[in-house]
Amino acid sequence: ETGVTQTPRHLVMGMTNKKSLKCEQHLGHNAMYWYKQSAKKPLELMFVYNFKEQTENNSVPSRFSPECPNSSHLFLHLHTLQPEDSALYLCASSQEQGMGNYGYTFGSGTRLTVV
Amino acid sequence: GDSVTQMEGPVTLSEEAFLTINCTYTATGYPSLFWYVQYPGEGLQLLLKATKADDKGSNKGFEATYRKETTSFHLEKGSVQVSDSAVYFCALGNQAGTALIFGKGTTLSVSS
């Protein structure tokens, strides 16, 4: 399978639940990203990993916890979320952070609803 | 810091109309420029890109030219189709170690 695959596509969770989002890429990329896309708001960069090391955390609340066990997999662990965290969560990968001329490949996203 | 500004939407057109979505940027150095498209319920897909001044990116009938003198990368298509209805994002990438910088997105709605 090629490209960036995100699972699940849809997730409904209560505010006291713990769940995880998964992202997988088979492109040989070394950088992976989590973005949040809310209605009527710009794309928000959440986390960046480069060669499995976290290089950016854009003041994301601690109820979001990323994990990057290897360059092909990225997780976003969720706990004690709020209704305003409902959004489309997008994963992306690129050749390497800092090589901006190559662009990113995005997954289809996980539509998260917090109830 | 670096930034991207896109025209506000929504843009509403009839099928076969000419499309322009404006994008201007502010950047140090020599960034690469991208247009991404997001169809309903999907992630972003790379539509086209240009990596240096005067380059023209093109794909699926869409074109954009990297204009350094006007710091612009406007997206154009000569004849839009209903299937082009989507959100279009302009983005900038540099080699300063930061992530891609996206514009706010422009929604295009094409009716038959």
Side-chain angles (χ1 to χ4, degrees):
Chain A
E1 190 176 343
T2 60
V4 177
T5 303
Q6 288 188 245
T7 54
R9 288 296 306 270
H10 301 274
L11 178 63
V12 179
M13 60 185 288
M15 288 189 284
T16 58
N17 291 161
K18 288 185 179 181
K19 295 287 185 183
S20 296
L21 310 185
K22 180 182 177 182
C23 177
E24 186 173 0
Q25 57 93 5
H26 298 285
L27 300 168
H29 289 169
N30 295 299
M32 297 188 79
Y33 311 80
W34 279 118
Y35 281 87
K36 177 183 178 182
Q37 187 177 32
S38 305
K40 312 292 185 186
K41 295 177 75 173
L43 276 171
E44 298 175 55
L45 178 66
M46 300 175 72
F47 301 104
V48 181
Y49 278 82
N50 197 40
F51 292 95
K52 301 188 300 178
E53 298 297 319
Q54 186 179 125
T55 56
E56 287 192 41
N57 174 341
N58 278 355
S59 303
V60 180
S62 59
R63 58 186 183 269
F64 294 91
S65 174
E67 178 189 3
C68 188
N70 54 61
S71 292
S72 298
H73 294 86
L74 183 66
F75 295 89
L76 187 63
H77 303 300
L78 316 171
H79 65 95
T80 324
L81 294 191
Q82 305 298 310
E84 60 265 28
D85 297 322
S86 298
L88 181 67
Y89 288 84
L90 293 165
C91 174
S93 70
S94 70
Q95 193 71 29
E96 186 177 321
Q97 186 183 11
M99 297 175 70
N101 53 319
Y102 286 93
Y104 294 175
T105 302
F106 281 83
S108 296
T110 294
R111 173 68 64 188
L112 173 67
T113 304
V114 181
V115 296
Chain B
D2 295 357
S3 66
V4 173
T5 302
Q6 281 182 245
M7 60 186 289
E8 295 285 331
V11 174
T12 304
L13 295 173
S14 298
E15 209 166 21
E16 299 184 4
F18 185 85
L19 168 71
T20 300
I21 300 178
N22 290 339
C23 172
T24 57
Y25 68 91
T26 302
T28 55
Y30 303 94
S32 294
L33 300 171
F34 307 85
W35 277 102
Y36 282 83
V37 58
Q38 185 178 30
Y39 298 103
E42 297 294 324
L44 279 68
Q45 301 174 26
L46 179 64
L47 181 59
L48 53 85
K49 73 174 188 180
T51 58
K52 61 182 187 297
D54 299 325
D55 266 4
K56 177 186 283 188
S58 62
N59 186 25
K60 300 181 181 180
F62 290 90
E63 294 183 340
T65 302
Y66 188 162
R67 303 280 190 203
K68 191 166 176 63
E69 63 277 12
T70 55
T71 62
S72 65
F73 192 55
H74 304 323
L75 181 68
E76 297 182 336
K77 187 175 186 183
S79 177
V80 293
Q81 306 300 312
V82 173
S83 56
D84 294 326
S85 298
V87 182
Y88 292 81
F89 293 89
C90 185
L92 175 158
N94 58 45
Q95 297 191 12
T98 58
L100 282 188
I101 297 168
F102 287 88
K104 294 183 178 182
T106 302
T107 300
L108 170 66
S109 178
V110 181
S111 57
S112 57

